Amino acid sequence: EEEEEEEYSERPGLGSKGNNRSGVAETIMAKMGWKGQGFGLGKQEQGIVSPLGTKKTGGKSGIIIQEQIEENPLKKIKKFSGTPSRVVLLKNMVGPGEVDEDLEREVAEECSKYGVVEKCLIFEVIDPNFPVEEAVRIFVSFNSIESARKAYVELDGRFFGGRTVQCCFYQQDRFDSHDLAPGPLDPK
């Protein structure tokens, strides 16, 4: 009987045991805008990040529990490059002369997985002596710092077309004034 106390309820979505852990709770959260494990509810995604479950404690009684979730993806990076802002600068995604008319739209579409993309701009440095991996600068402006952080975490170090993408946060005021050229204020 002690073993029975540790089991989860047989009701789907309310802490069901076995591999099928989706159900009522996840469906309700999805209707409220929940995007899945690691994403919270609410305007800034700061709320509950996983469905609640139930744990049977005996007979017809139980308790509500918070399901264990995987490690927060934001913990993958110990230190961000630049002061966090709503703008992420992507470097080494493509090389000089490889920018086409679809790239801006494709990058914005890919980044929309992490939050609302307000604007995507591409700036190409034409100086032949400039480092190739930094010559094409892709700026993505999100509607929140949290969305920009998610994009940073997922995109930094990711392989794209045989290249390793490098991310850093970019100063919002410089982006807003279209100061996109490399300079001494760039994060390292």
Side-chain angles (χ1 to χ4, degrees), residues 8 11 15 17 26 34 46 51-52 62-63 68 85 92 98 105-106 111 122 126 136 139-140 146 148 160 172 188:
Y8 287 96
R11 296 177 62 193
K17 64 182 181 180
E26 287 182 0
W34 185 58
Q46 76 282 12
L52 297 175
I63 59 172
Q68 294 298 315
S85 74
N92 201 36
E98 297 176 2
R105 179 187 50 78
E106 290 170 351
C111 287
I122 298 175
I126 54 175
V136 178
F139 298 86
V140 183
E146 189 60 33
F160 182 83
Q172 185 72 48
K188 300 293 176 210

Side-chain angles (χ1 to χ4, degrees), residues 120-134:
C120 180
L121 297 174
I122 298 175
F123 182 88
E124 189 169 355
V125 179
I126 54 175
D127 179 355
N129 297 322
F130 198 76
V132 173
E133 63 276 358
E134 296 183 21

Side-chain angles (χ1 to χ4, degrees), residues 89-96 98-99 103-104 106-108 110-111 114 120-122 132-140 151 154-156 158-167:
L89 168 56
L90 306 172
K91 297 183 280 189
N92 201 36
M93 197 168 222
V94 297
E98 297 176 2
V99 176
L103 185 60
E104 200 171 280
E106 290 170 351
V107 171
E110 177 68 19
C111 287
Y114 312 112
C120 180
L121 297 174
I122 298 175
V132 173
E133 63 276 358
E134 296 183 21
V136 178
R137 299 162 60 89
I138 303 173
F139 298 86
V140 183
E154 293 300 322
L155 296 174
D156 191 52
R158 182 172 160 182
F159 289 99
F160 182 83
R163 297 172 172 273
T164 303
V165 177
Q166 300 167 359
C167 295

